[in-house]
mmCIF file of all heavy atoms in Angstrom:
data_model
loop_
_atom_site.group_PDB
_atom_site.id
_atom_site.type_symbol
_atom_site.label_atom_id
_atom_site.label_comp_id
_atom_site.label_asym_id
_atom_site.label_seq_id
_atom_site.Cartn_x
_atom_site.Cartn_y
_atom_site.Cartn_z
ATOM 1 N N LEU A 446 -30.055 -154.767 -115.980
ATOM 2 C CA LEU A 446 -31.404 -154.344 -115.610
ATOM 3 C C LEU A 446 -32.103 -155.416 -114.773
ATOM 4 O O LEU A 446 -31.956 -156.617 -115.031
ATOM 5 C CB LEU A 446 -32.235 -154.060 -116.867
ATOM 6 C CG LEU A 446 -31.704 -152.974 -117.804
ATOM 7 C CD1 LEU A 446 -32.615 -152.853 -119.026
ATOM 8 C CD2 LEU A 446 -31.599 -151.641 -117.085
ATOM 9 N N THR A 447 -32.864 -154.968 -113.775
ATOM 10 C CA THR A 447 -33.534 -155.921 -112.883
ATOM 11 C C THR A 447 -34.671 -156.665 -113.564
ATOM 12 O O THR A 447 -35.217 -157.608 -112.992
ATOM 13 C CB THR A 447 -34.071 -155.197 -111.628
ATOM 14 O OG1 THR A 447 -34.873 -154.083 -112.032
ATOM 15 C CG2 THR A 447 -32.934 -154.717 -110.755
ATOM 16 N N SER A 448 -35.024 -156.272 -114.774
ATOM 17 C CA SER A 448 -36.042 -156.999 -115.538
ATOM 18 C C SER A 448 -35.443 -158.142 -116.344
ATOM 19 O O SER A 448 -36.157 -158.861 -117.048
ATOM 20 C CB SER A 448 -36.778 -156.043 -116.487
ATOM 21 O OG SER A 448 -35.861 -155.486 -117.419
ATOM 22 N N MET A 449 -34.113 -158.312 -116.270
ATOM 23 C CA MET A 449 -33.427 -159.313 -117.091
ATOM 24 C C MET A 449 -32.885 -160.454 -116.243
ATOM 25 O O MET A 449 -32.372 -160.243 -115.141
ATOM 26 C CB MET A 449 -32.275 -158.661 -117.871
ATOM 27 C CG MET A 449 -32.713 -157.543 -118.796
ATOM 28 S SD MET A 449 -31.354 -156.845 -119.775
ATOM 29 C CE MET A 449 -31.124 -158.152 -120.984
ATOM 30 N N ASP A 450 -33.011 -161.675 -116.775
ATOM 31 C CA ASP A 450 -32.407 -162.833 -116.131
ATOM 32 C C ASP A 450 -31.429 -163.476 -117.111
ATOM 33 O O ASP A 450 -31.131 -162.918 -118.178
ATOM 34 C CB ASP A 450 -33.479 -163.824 -115.651
ATOM 35 C CG ASP A 450 -34.402 -164.302 -116.782
ATOM 36 O OD1 ASP A 450 -34.032 -164.150 -117.970
ATOM 37 O OD2 ASP A 450 -35.485 -164.837 -116.473
ATOM 38 N N ALA A 451 -30.919 -164.664 -116.765
ATOM 39 C CA ALA A 451 -29.896 -165.305 -117.592
ATOM 40 C C ALA A 451 -30.395 -165.567 -119.013
ATOM 41 O O ALA A 451 -29.653 -165.406 -119.992
ATOM 42 C CB ALA A 451 -29.440 -166.607 -116.937
ATOM 43 N N GLU A 452 -31.648 -165.970 -119.141
ATOM 44 C CA GLU A 452 -32.218 -166.240 -120.466
ATOM 45 C C GLU A 452 -32.268 -164.962 -121.313
ATOM 46 O O GLU A 452 -31.965 -164.988 -122.506
ATOM 47 C CB GLU A 452 -33.618 -166.826 -120.307
ATOM 48 C CG GLU A 452 -34.258 -167.248 -121.618
ATOM 49 C CD GLU A 452 -35.613 -167.911 -121.411
ATOM 50 O OE1 GLU A 452 -35.883 -168.369 -120.285
ATOM 51 O OE2 GLU A 452 -36.394 -167.953 -122.385
ATOM 52 N N ASP A 453 -32.635 -163.850 -120.683
ATOM 53 C CA ASP A 453 -32.677 -162.576 -121.407
ATOM 54 C C ASP A 453 -31.293 -162.155 -121.871
ATOM 55 O O ASP A 453 -31.123 -161.653 -122.992
ATOM 56 C CB ASP A 453 -33.269 -161.476 -120.517
ATOM 57 C CG ASP A 453 -34.711 -161.756 -120.131
ATOM 58 O OD1 ASP A 453 -35.489 -162.153 -121.013
ATOM 59 O OD2 ASP A 453 -35.039 -161.582 -118.944
ATOM 60 N N LEU A 454 -30.287 -162.334 -121.022
ATOM 61 C CA LEU A 454 -28.920 -161.967 -121.394
ATOM 62 C C LEU A 454 -28.420 -162.832 -122.556
ATOM 63 O O LEU A 454 -27.764 -162.329 -123.467
ATOM 64 C CB LEU A 454 -27.985 -162.103 -120.193
ATOM 65 C CG LEU A 454 -28.147 -161.062 -119.090
ATOM 66 C CD1 LEU A 454 -27.178 -161.353 -117.941
ATOM 67 C CD2 LEU A 454 -27.901 -159.656 -119.622
ATOM 68 N N ALA A 455 -28.737 -164.134 -122.512
ATOM 69 C CA ALA A 455 -28.323 -165.018 -123.591
ATOM 70 C C ALA A 455 -28.971 -164.600 -124.903
ATOM 71 O O ALA A 455 -28.326 -164.583 -125.963
ATOM 72 C CB ALA A 455 -28.698 -166.461 -123.253
ATOM 73 N N GLU A 456 -30.249 -164.225 -124.846
ATOM 74 C CA GLU A 456 -30.948 -163.777 -126.051
ATOM 75 C C GLU A 456 -30.312 -162.515 -126.620
ATOM 76 O O GLU A 456 -30.289 -162.302 -127.842
ATOM 77 C CB GLU A 456 -32.417 -163.530 -125.727
ATOM 78 C CG GLU A 456 -33.260 -163.149 -126.938
ATOM 79 C CD GLU A 456 -34.715 -162.900 -126.586
ATOM 80 O OE1 GLU A 456 -35.010 -162.590 -125.410
ATOM 81 O OE2 GLU A 456 -35.561 -162.998 -127.486
ATOM 82 N N ALA A 457 -29.776 -161.649 -125.726
ATOM 83 C CA ALA A 457 -29.142 -160.400 -126.157
ATOM 84 C C ALA A 457 -27.702 -160.598 -126.610
ATOM 85 O O ALA A 457 -27.038 -159.641 -127.022
ATOM 86 C CB ALA A 457 -29.182 -159.386 -125.014
ATOM 87 N N GLY A 458 -27.197 -161.834 -126.512
ATOM 88 C CA GLY A 458 -25.859 -162.115 -127.012
ATOM 89 C C GLY A 458 -24.759 -162.132 -125.972
ATOM 90 O O GLY A 458 -23.583 -162.232 -126.316
ATOM 91 N N TYR A 459 -25.128 -162.040 -124.690
ATOM 92 C CA TYR A 459 -24.123 -162.080 -123.629
ATOM 93 C C TYR A 459 -23.829 -163.526 -123.233
ATOM 94 O O TYR A 459 -24.738 -164.341 -123.103
ATOM 95 C CB TYR A 459 -24.605 -161.317 -122.396
ATOM 96 C CG TYR A 459 -24.644 -159.818 -122.579
ATOM 97 C CD1 TYR A 459 -25.828 -159.173 -122.931
ATOM 98 C CD2 TYR A 459 -23.500 -159.048 -122.404
ATOM 99 C CE1 TYR A 459 -25.874 -157.799 -123.106
ATOM 100 C CE2 TYR A 459 -23.531 -157.673 -122.584
ATOM 101 C CZ TYR A 459 -24.725 -157.054 -122.926
ATOM 102 O OH TYR A 459 -24.765 -155.702 -123.105
ATOM 103 N N ALA A 460 -22.559 -163.820 -123.002
ATOM 104 C CA ALA A 460 -22.168 -165.172 -122.623
ATOM 105 C C ALA A 460 -22.252 -165.390 -121.120
ATOM 106 O O ALA A 460 -22.145 -166.518 -120.648
ATOM 107 C CB ALA A 460 -20.744 -165.456 -123.107
ATOM 108 N N HIS A 461 -22.442 -164.306 -120.354
ATOM 109 C CA HIS A 461 -22.398 -164.401 -118.900
ATOM 110 C C HIS A 461 -23.800 -164.443 -118.282
ATOM 111 O O HIS A 461 -24.757 -163.913 -118.849
ATOM 112 C CB HIS A 461 -21.654 -163.188 -118.315
ATOM 113 C CG HIS A 461 -20.262 -163.032 -118.817
ATOM 114 N ND1 HIS A 461 -19.313 -164.006 -118.682
ATOM 115 C CD2 HIS A 461 -19.653 -161.999 -119.456
ATOM 116 C CE1 HIS A 461 -18.178 -163.593 -119.217
ATOM 117 N NE2 HIS A 461 -18.354 -162.378 -119.698
ATOM 118 N N ASP A 462 -23.886 -165.051 -117.121
ATOM 119 C CA ASP A 462 -25.104 -164.964 -116.321
ATOM 120 C C ASP A 462 -25.114 -163.602 -115.641
ATOM 121 O O ASP A 462 -24.083 -162.904 -115.621
ATOM 122 C CB ASP A 462 -25.149 -166.093 -115.284
ATOM 123 C CG ASP A 462 -23.952 -166.038 -114.338
ATOM 124 O OD1 ASP A 462 -24.023 -165.273 -113.352
ATOM 125 O OD2 ASP A 462 -22.952 -166.727 -114.601
ATOM 126 N N PRO A 463 -26.275 -163.169 -115.081
ATOM 127 C CA PRO A 463 -26.339 -161.825 -114.492
ATOM 128 C C PRO A 463 -25.262 -161.555 -113.442
ATOM 129 O O PRO A 463 -24.645 -160.486 -113.455
ATOM 130 C CB PRO A 463 -27.747 -161.787 -113.883
ATOM 131 C CG PRO A 463 -28.550 -162.683 -114.753
ATOM 132 C CD PRO A 463 -27.605 -163.810 -115.102
ATOM 133 N N GLU A 464 -25.023 -162.492 -112.529
ATOM 134 C CA GLU A 464 -24.056 -162.234 -111.465
ATOM 135 C C GLU A 464 -22.653 -162.016 -112.019
ATOM 136 O O GLU A 464 -21.939 -161.099 -111.587
ATOM 137 C CB GLU A 464 -24.044 -163.393 -110.463
ATOM 138 C CG GLU A 464 -23.079 -163.162 -109.314
ATOM 139 C CD GLU A 464 -23.050 -164.304 -108.313
ATOM 140 O OE1 GLU A 464 -24.139 -164.807 -107.959
ATOM 141 O OE2 GLU A 464 -21.944 -164.689 -107.884
ATOM 142 N N THR A 465 -22.248 -162.818 -112.973
ATOM 143 C CA THR A 465 -20.911 -162.673 -113.560
ATOM 144 C C THR A 465 -20.766 -161.339 -114.269
ATOM 145 O O THR A 465 -19.736 -160.650 -114.145
ATOM 146 C CB THR A 465 -20.629 -163.825 -114.547
ATOM 147 O OG1 THR A 465 -20.751 -165.078 -113.855
ATOM 148 C CG2 THR A 465 -19.241 -163.706 -115.147
ATOM 149 N N LEU A 466 -21.798 -160.953 -115.017
ATOM 150 C CA LEU A 466 -21.741 -159.679 -115.738
ATOM 151 C C LEU A 466 -21.748 -158.498 -114.774
ATOM 152 O O LEU A 466 -21.025 -157.513 -114.982
ATOM 153 C CB LEU A 466 -22.916 -159.579 -116.710
ATOM 154 C CG LEU A 466 -22.914 -158.375 -117.657
ATOM 155 C CD1 LEU A 466 -21.611 -158.274 -118.444
ATOM 156 C CD2 LEU A 466 -24.108 -158.456 -118.602
ATOM 157 N N VAL A 467 -22.535 -158.601 -113.698
ATOM 158 C CA VAL A 467 -22.551 -157.537 -112.693
ATOM 159 C C VAL A 467 -21.172 -157.377 -112.066
ATOM 160 O O VAL A 467 -20.680 -156.261 -111.874
ATOM 161 C CB VAL A 467 -23.618 -157.815 -111.617
ATOM 162 C CG1 VAL A 467 -23.430 -156.883 -110.417
ATOM 163 C CG2 VAL A 467 -25.022 -157.640 -112.193
ATOM 164 N N ARG A 468 -20.536 -158.489 -111.723
ATOM 165 C CA ARG A 468 -19.189 -158.431 -111.149
ATOM 166 C C ARG A 468 -18.221 -157.699 -112.081
ATOM 167 O O ARG A 468 -17.457 -156.832 -111.650
ATOM 168 C CB ARG A 468 -18.662 -159.848 -110.889
ATOM 169 C CG ARG A 468 -19.250 -160.560 -109.699
ATOM 170 C CD ARG A 468 -18.653 -161.957 -109.569
ATOM 171 N NE ARG A 468 -19.179 -162.696 -108.456
ATOM 172 C CZ ARG A 468 -18.736 -162.616 -107.210
ATOM 173 N NH1 ARG A 468 -17.713 -161.810 -106.944
ATOM 174 N NH2 ARG A 468 -19.280 -163.317 -106.245
ATOM 175 N N ARG A 469 -18.257 -158.058 -113.348
ATOM 176 C CA ARG A 469 -17.336 -157.463 -114.315
ATOM 177 C C ARG A 469 -17.581 -155.964 -114.456
ATOM 178 O O ARG A 469 -16.644 -155.158 -114.450
ATOM 179 C CB ARG A 469 -17.513 -158.159 -115.671
ATOM 180 C CG ARG A 469 -16.640 -157.610 -116.790
ATOM 181 C CD ARG A 469 -15.178 -157.812 -116.466
ATOM 182 N NE ARG A 469 -14.323 -157.389 -117.574
ATOM 183 C CZ ARG A 469 -13.109 -156.900 -117.433
ATOM 184 N NH1 ARG A 469 -12.605 -156.757 -116.212
ATOM 185 N NH2 ARG A 469 -12.395 -156.562 -118.475
ATOM 186 N N ARG A 470 -18.834 -155.583 -114.545
ATOM 187 C CA ARG A 470 -19.150 -154.168 -114.705
ATOM 188 C C ARG A 470 -18.872 -153.373 -113.441
ATOM 189 O O ARG A 470 -18.518 -152.189 -113.516
ATOM 190 C CB ARG A 470 -20.607 -154.019 -115.164
ATOM 191 C CG ARG A 470 -20.766 -154.459 -116.608
ATOM 192 C CD ARG A 470 -22.149 -154.282 -117.158
ATOM 193 N NE ARG A 470 -22.117 -154.375 -118.621
ATOM 194 C CZ ARG A 470 -23.199 -154.427 -119.381
ATOM 195 N NH1 ARG A 470 -24.399 -154.381 -118.820
ATOM 196 N NH2 ARG A 470 -23.091 -154.503 -120.694
ATOM 197 N N ALA A 471 -19.021 -153.982 -112.288
ATOM 198 C CA ALA A 471 -18.682 -153.298 -111.040
ATOM 199 C C ALA A 471 -17.191 -152.992 -110.983
ATOM 200 O O ALA A 471 -16.775 -151.895 -110.582
ATOM 201 C CB ALA A 471 -19.094 -154.146 -109.839
ATOM 202 N N GLU A 472 -16.387 -153.955 -111.395
ATOM 203 C CA GLU A 472 -14.937 -153.731 -111.428
ATOM 204 C C GLU A 472 -14.583 -152.603 -112.398
ATOM 205 O O GLU A 472 -13.755 -151.733 -112.093
ATOM 206 C CB GLU A 472 -14.235 -155.025 -111.847
ATOM 207 C CG GLU A 472 -14.328 -156.142 -110.813
ATOM 208 C CD GLU A 472 -13.915 -157.496 -111.367
ATOM 209 O OE1 GLU A 472 -13.681 -157.587 -112.611
ATOM 210 O OE2 GLU A 472 -13.839 -158.459 -110.591
ATOM 211 N N GLN A 473 -15.226 -152.603 -113.565
ATOM 212 C CA GLN A 473 -14.925 -151.587 -114.573
ATOM 213 C C GLN A 473 -15.377 -150.203 -114.124
ATOM 214 O O GLN A 473 -14.685 -149.206 -114.375
ATOM 215 C CB GLN A 473 -15.594 -151.977 -115.892
ATOM 216 C CG GLN A 473 -14.959 -153.203 -116.528
ATOM 217 C CD GLN A 473 -15.754 -153.745 -117.706
ATOM 218 O OE1 GLN A 473 -16.983 -153.633 -117.745
ATOM 219 N NE2 GLN A 473 -15.072 -154.343 -118.674
ATOM 220 N N ALA A 474 -16.528 -150.129 -113.453
ATOM 221 C CA ALA A 474 -17.018 -148.841 -112.952
ATOM 222 C C ALA A 474 -16.093 -148.298 -111.869
ATOM 223 O O ALA A 474 -15.783 -147.102 -111.839
ATOM 224 C CB ALA A 474 -18.431 -149.001 -112.410
#
């Protein structure tokens, strides 16, 4: 979500920064 940054992702339990997670999800999609 465009309202989320690296700090928000870390709080939600994700180990990745936004760009890394976007890359992974783009590949999966």
Side-chain angles (χ1 to χ4, degrees):
L446 300 178
T447 53
S448 62
M449 301 183 75
D450 57 18
E452 185 176 341
D453 297 315
L454 288 178
E456 184 180 23
Y459 289 96
H461 302 302
D462 59 84
E464 181 180 317
T465 302
L466 187 54
V467 168
R468 285 179 180 275
R469 178 63 175 149
R470 288 183 164 171
E472 292 167 353
Q473 291 170 329

